[in-house]
Amino acid sequence: MCTSLTLPTPDGTNLFGRTLDLDDHFGESVTLTPRRYSITFADCYPLTHHYALLGMATVMDGTTARGYPLYAEAMNEKGLCMAGLRFAESAVYATRPQVGFLNLAPWELIPYLLGTCATVAEARAALSDICVVDKPFSDTVGTAPLHWHIADAAPTHGGLILEVTSEGMRIYDDDSPHGVGILTNEPPYPHQLATLRACNARRGDEPGLPGDYSSPSRFTRAATLRRWAVERMGNGQTGGEGKDADVARFFSLLGAVSPTVGAVMTPEGKCHRTLYTCCMDTAAGVYHWRREEETEVRAVAFAECDLHGETVTSRKT
């Protein structure tokens, strides 16, 4: 259970972030991958020079390199952002590398695209040459079934939803600020849009919204709340102004779809909960995050980091 969100702001920039909903922590920490860290891949050449990346990751030893950052989401120094959300029922990857394509495992997509692309348009072009291959990270870490939300610093450039299913790779344009700006989990994105349209048609002018934490309900609720927020931000009706107010608004929107502890249980009897919520200021290069047990929102900026290093560094959260 996760929800990602883009939010255009009155100053013409874009915020991007997500909730990470699981039943337990996965060793995550805010992680910087500097420009000269050699990003290695299972089936293609390494990136020895690339854009710096900043986001939430677990750093593990795998089949390709020691100390490899497995990002749940990240942004690069140019403002391109990407988040992977669980897509357990529908994700279907290639079973073997394909001739004529750049073959990447799911866990390699974020470092590759954010390492080489500065905008959504560049990411879309790069994806035309990529095949996503079912390759585990290591003997103990398997292949995660994911789909991805991609956005950049300019809301007018729009965002992308990337899904790889039995029908192949599908890329869906989400032209913010007029698009939906939301991704959750199952079902595939076109079905989520259909559910949203059906809900809007039934409601008409009624204010009611779905209240459970299923993926379609979270999608519909988050998309509707986001639309209202964007409309009223443009009219100056949302209270405080400035970037701090925009970031606070962003966390509030995602808080509306975060499961209350005890409301969602796994088959094993564990609580699904929001381990952390993050918000990336794509223009300023600032990664904001708040952990489940904290009220404080913390932040780290590219400007505070050494972007020229060769070693991945993590800040314990």
Side-chain angles (χ1 to χ4, degrees), residues 35 50-53 75-80 114 282 285 302 307:
R35 297 167 182 160
H50 49 78
Y51 296 129
L53 280 63
M75 65 176 172
N76 69 19
E77 59 188 291
K78 297 297 183 180
L80 185 66
L114 296 190
T282 58
F302 276 117
L307 306 186

Side-chain angles (χ1 to χ4, degrees), residues 121-167:
E122 290 182 13
R124 196 185 220 293
L127 285 167
S128 65
D129 296 323
I130 289 174
C131 175
V132 184
V133 181
D134 188 350
K135 183 178 287 291
F137 178 71
S138 68
D139 292 339
T140 57
V141 180
T143 307
L146 301 171
H147 57 174
W148 295 268
H149 196 172
I150 307 171
D152 62 21
T156 54
H157 289 176
L160 299 178
I161 305 300
L162 169 64
E163 297 184 339
V164 185
T165 69
S166 59
E167 298 178 354

Side-chain angles (χ1 to χ4, degrees), residues 56-143:
M56 194 72 77
T58 180
V59 181
M60 302 182 67
D61 295 345
T63 56
T64 58
R66 295 180 63 83
Y68 198 98
L70 295 175
Y71 279 104
E73 79 287 327
M75 65 176 172
N76 69 19
E77 59 188 291
K78 297 297 183 180
L80 185 66
C81 304
M82 189 169 178
L85 281 71
R86 189 164 177 81
F87 197 42
E89 297 175 22
S90 300
V92 177
Y93 308 129
T95 57
R96 63 180 63 86
Q98 303 296 301
V99 175
F101 286 89
L102 179 62
N103 292 283
L104 296 175
W107 44 273
E108 295 173 327
L109 273 179
I110 289 180
Y112 181 82
L113 289 174
L114 296 190
T116 59
C117 301
T119 65
V120 162
E122 290 182 13
R124 196 185 220 293
L127 285 167
S128 65
D129 296 323
I130 289 174
C131 175
V132 184
V133 181
D134 188 350
K135 183 178 287 291
F137 178 71
S138 68
D139 292 339
T140 57
V141 180
T143 307

Side-chain angles (χ1 to χ4, degrees), residues 34-39 46-51 115-116:
R35 297 167 182 160
R36 295 172 59 199
Y37 170 79
S38 182
I39 303 176
L47 293 178
T48 55
H49 293 82
H50 49 78
Y51 296 129
T116 59

